[in-house]
Amino acid sequence: MKTRQLAAYGALGLPLAFAALPLYVLVPDFYSRQLGLALPVIGSVLFFTRLLDTLQDPFLGLWVDRLAQRRQLASALKLAMLLLGAGFVTLWQAPGGSPHLATWLSLSLVTVYLGHSFLNIALMAWGSRLSPNPDDLARAAAWREGCALVGVILASLLPTVLLQWSSQGMAVFSGLFGLLLMAGVGMLLTQAPPWQISHAQQRPRWQLGWQDRAISRLLAAFFLNGLASAIAATLSLFFIADHLAAKPWSGLFLAIYFLAGAISLPGWVGLSRQIGAAASWRCAMTLALLAFAGVGMLGPGDLWAYGLICLFTGLALGADLALPPVLLAARLPASEPMAAWFGVWSLLAKLTLALAGLLLPLLSYLHYQPGVAGSTSALVWLYGGLPCLCKLLALGLMVERATDRQPRPAAAIAETGGTP
């Protein structure tokens, strides 16, 4: 499989991640500090919109599979692109101080989540059907996640720069996102390797999620590992600004984290070829756990120490992004409709974000107030402790399963067609 084709496949990962970071990291801070919306209200809106987003994913996955079989996926991808672009623009153009600000936030998020989820599920399912060779799947995942990390790095730096340059910085940010999104969808539809559609495809057998031990443990580990990341992502900007007293450095810390993840991707893919994807993922989780364990001991001004934590947890991030989807594709029978299962996969990922959103009302109840000195005790405990606990449980699930499931044989993929 040519590198140019894999790059075209992975290109859509850039704008999807470019949108995802502001959605999950910057929205709470932007709507509380810039627009004055109360933390309990933001937390409630995030929880219910993320919950809706979570519940829709399996249905979107079934829809993607059906459209792919009928060769109608291209038109649906273009419609999802328009929904995502329109919702993203309105999200950052909210009227500050409006009594309808919570409604504006809710409707914008629902629109964005619908378009983003459809595109993301379709992209992951497409990548799992490029080839019967697990090494090709790992390369495709590395390109997708590498482009995604480039998008995240851009999204972590540009808002700060653009807002300092102009009060309309987020409008410029949204326009740039629209251009990247159109380019990504266009490259996927015209230059990427075709989705190898199985004509023997059947309805998903959801019972595999609890009957097959390898699949059930993988899903549980993925959920717990994702919950650790979601908690850290939701609370990181508050921790940096109010506990470390380093708000001007927030963009740099995020850039270090995601740049380290991008740099580490080829290494994790190479390691997975030597010792297997599951063993490589265990190594990454161990690295992240050891690095993040010391975050609770930091205090105001500990910028170098926190930078090193961002570096080492970022190095582990590459494995978190590239390897679990490959494990899922390898452990599922070839007759299973992949988009439906990646809808469940996406459901689990987003459920972690919805649960993490509940920490904001909890922090308010525990007397944390953004920007108020001396109120960060609960923030430190939740930010430093919960991710480590979740990561440890996920690692335990994967350690108990000492070997990878054998990948699907090439003969298992039935007669195939072209690009949907």
Side-chain angles (χ1 to χ4, degrees):
M1 197 171 296
K2 296 181 179 179
T3 300
R4 175 180 57 81
Q5 292 178 301
L6 293 177
Y9 161 74
L12 182 56
L14 193 156
L16 291 181
F18 192 85
L21 180 71
L23 286 178
Y24 299 127
V25 178
L26 301 182
V27 163
D29 188 72
F30 181 81
Y31 271 77
S32 64
R33 296 184 192 273
Q34 301 292 329
L35 302 178
L37 195 59
L39 272 183
V41 175
I42 296 174
S44 299
V45 169
L46 290 179
F47 174 74
F48 286 110
T49 55
R50 288 174 179 177
L51 183 60
L52 176 63
D53 182 35
T54 297
L55 296 176
Q56 73 183 358
D57 282 352
F59 301 100
L60 291 178
L62 289 169
W63 191 23
V64 168
D65 280 317
R66 190 170 295 115
L67 290 169
Q69 289 283 356
R70 298 174 181 174
R71 303 294 195 272
Q72 297 173 343
L73 186 57
S75 297
L77 288 173
K78 294 174 185 177
L79 177 59
M81 176 187 71
L82 293 175
L83 284 174
L84 174 54
F88 193 81
V89 170
T90 60
L91 182 64
W92 304 107
Q93 301 304 312
S98 168
H100 306 296
L101 188 56
T103 302
W104 185 291
L105 174 61
S106 301
L107 294 177
S108 298
L109 286 175
V110 168
T111 304
V112 169
Y113 286 151
L114 178 60
H116 193 280
S117 295
F118 188 93
L119 290 172
N120 189 56
I121 291 169
L123 183 65
M124 294 187 71
W126 193 313
S128 72
R129 289 298 195 189
L130 293 179
S131 168
N133 186 341
D135 287 344
D136 286 339
L137 299 185
R139 290 175 62 212
W143 270 102
R144 181 185 66 233
E145 303 304 336
C147 290
L149 287 172
V150 172
V152 167
I153 293 169
L154 290 174
S156 67
L157 295 174
L158 284 178
T160 302
V161 174
L162 292 174
L163 285 172
Q164 290 178 348
W165 169 66
S166 169
S167 60
Q168 297 299 312
M170 292 309 294
V172 177
F173 183 81
S174 300
L176 176 60
F177 164 71
L179 294 175
L180 292 172
L181 182 61
M182 287 188 290
V185 171
M187 292 177 68
L188 178 68
L189 293 176
T190 60
Q191 301 177 41
W195 181 333
Q196 303 296 312
I197 302 169
S198 171
H199 296 303
Q201 219 161 346
Q202 55 187 247
R203 293 185 64 82
R205 292 175 291 163
W206 301 122
Q207 66 271 22
L208 289 175
W210 60 87
Q211 290 179 350
D212 188 302
R213 186 173 178 82
I215 294 174
S216 62
R217 296 186 71 84
L218 174 62
L219 293 175
F222 174 73
F223 173 78
L224 288 168
N225 188 71
L227 184 57
S229 299
I231 293 170
T234 301
L235 302 182
S236 61
L237 292 183
F238 296 105
F239 181 84
I240 294 169
D242 294 332
H243 186 70
L244 296 182
K247 181 176 174 57
W249 299 94
S250 299
L252 178 60
F253 288 137
L254 291 175
I256 290 172
Y257 175 72
F258 291 114
L259 183 60
I263 292 172
S264 71
L265 267 170
W268 290 117
V269 172
L271 183 63
S272 71
R273 292 175 180 168
Q274 301 298 319
I275 65 175
S280 300
W281 194 29
R282 291 196 295 269
C283 292
M285 285 193 283
T286 302
L287 173 62
L289 183 61
L290 292 175
F292 203 72
V295 75
M297 295 183 288
L298 302 182
D302 289 335
L303 305 187
W304 282 102
Y306 188 72
L308 288 175
I309 290 174
C310 291
L311 173 64
F312 285 108
T313 54
L315 291 174
L317 175 66
D320 285 343
L321 295 174
L323 300 182
V326 175
L327 285 170
L328 180 64
R331 295 180 182 193
L332 285 171
S335 59
E336 288 295 307
M338 294 302 296
W341 277 99
F342 276 109
V344 173
W345 192 257
S346 182
L347 181 152
L348 293 176
K350 290 174 181 177
L351 182 59
T352 65
L353 294 166
L355 292 174
L358 291 178
L359 291 179
L360 297 180
L362 177 60
L363 280 173
S364 182
Y365 175 76
L366 295 174
H367 310 295
Y368 166 68
Q369 296 180 3
V372 176
S375 68
T376 62
S377 178
L379 173 65
V380 172
W381 278 103
L382 292 178
Y383 178 71
L386 283 182
C388 290
L389 176 61
C390 294
K391 184 79 72 171
L392 185 61
L393 293 173
L395 178 59
L397 285 168
M398 293 305 294
V399 165
E400 189 170 327
R401 181 71 187 185
T403 58
D404 290 333
R405 174 67 59 90
Q406 290 297 318
R408 295 171 292 139
I413 294 186
E415 171 183 4
T416 60
T419 303

